[in-house]
Amino acid sequence: MHYLIFLLLFIIAILLFFILKQNKKYNVDIASKNKEISLAIEQYNYYKDECNHLRDVIEINKSIVEKDMPKNNLEFEPIYKGKKALVGDYFAFSYENTKRVLESLGFDVTIALSGKEVVKRIKNGEKYDIIFSNNIYRNGTGKECLSELKQIEGFNIPVIIHTITPNKRDYFVKEIGFDDYIVKPVTKEKVKPILKRLLE
């Protein structure tokens, strides 16, 4: 009889052990799933914010195109003939205007659609006299782009931030360290004094 009770208690102990083990595994699984859900919500909120920002940028750029962009052909002034400019921007309305203005001043212009591409081109040994970086890219920021550029050994190319954000010169130049700041749309009138200071 005692053996039966002992055996029964032993079986109950084993069952309890397996139940507790399964419960622990279940709790770990739940914690893991909760973490995945939390990360998914974080990603969703990030992309939602990005979409909202892009929608705002599209509207602002449309208004720039309709109201502010130079409409006439720009007079060709080859002041910087032989100079090369790298323009980091993902929005066609914006980079086409910047390209047109710089080309009218004699620059050979290359477009990079992301901050990563700007950095990659410099790391690959491409030579430029000046870089225009966007403030926001689809993946990353102008601040991150500048930080990565400054980590490249021997990097000494002037980097201008060109952005739709007004009244932020102190932030972009003094705090972040850009060489200069220009509010889009880029025009000859805005860019010529900056280029004179940085390139002449």
Side-chain angles (χ1 to χ4, degrees), residues 86-87 110-128 131 149 152 157:
L86 179 59
V87 175
T110 300
I111 304 297
L113 298 177
S114 69
K116 295 289 180 195
E117 187 184 343
V118 170
V119 173
K120 185 179 176 184
R121 284 179 177 276
I122 300 304
K123 282 185 173 176
N124 285 345
E126 293 184 21
K127 303 295 180 192
Y128 297 95
I131 296 172
L149 287 171
I152 299 170
I157 305 167

Side-chain angles (χ1 to χ4, degrees), residues 26-43:
Y26 177 73
N27 286 337
V28 167
D29 287 346
I30 286 200
S32 174
K33 292 293 177 195
N34 282 340
K35 191 175 180 183
E36 282 177 34
I37 289 166
S38 175
L39 284 170
I41 290 169
E42 222 173 275
Q43 270 191 320

Side-chain angles (χ1 to χ4, degrees), residues 2 6 16 28 31 43 50 54 115 118 129 133 135 147 191:
H2 293 295
F6 179 75
L16 278 172
V28 167
Q43 270 191 320
E50 282 295 292
L54 287 172
V118 170
D129 298 283
S133 174
N135 178 25
S147 175
V191 81

Side-chain angles (χ1 to χ4, degrees), residues 163-177:
T163 174
I164 56 172
T165 311
N167 307 316
K168 288 282 187 176
R169 169 173 289 280
D170 284 353
Y171 171 71
F172 286 117
V173 176
K174 292 180 182 175
E175 289 185 41
I176 296 181

Side-chain angles (χ1 to χ4, degrees), residues 142-199:
K143 181 181 179 180
E144 290 165 349
C145 176
L146 183 66
S147 175
E148 287 187 54
L149 287 171
K150 287 188 171 181
Q151 288 170 33
I152 299 170
E153 190 177 345
F155 178 79
N156 63 354
I157 305 167
V159 184
I160 300 169
I161 183 85
H162 64 135
T163 174
I164 56 172
T165 311
N167 307 316
K168 288 282 187 176
R169 169 173 289 280
D170 284 353
Y171 171 71
F172 286 117
V173 176
K174 292 180 182 175
E175 289 185 41
I176 296 181
F178 284 97
D179 293 287
D180 220 312
Y181 154 89
I182 189 168
V183 179
K184 296 179 187 177
V186 173
T187 63
K188 275 189 175 184
E189 293 70 28
K190 290 179 189 174
V191 81
K192 277 167 93 172
I194 294 171
L195 294 172
K196 186 175 176 64
R197 184 177 71 80
L198 296 177
L199 297 181

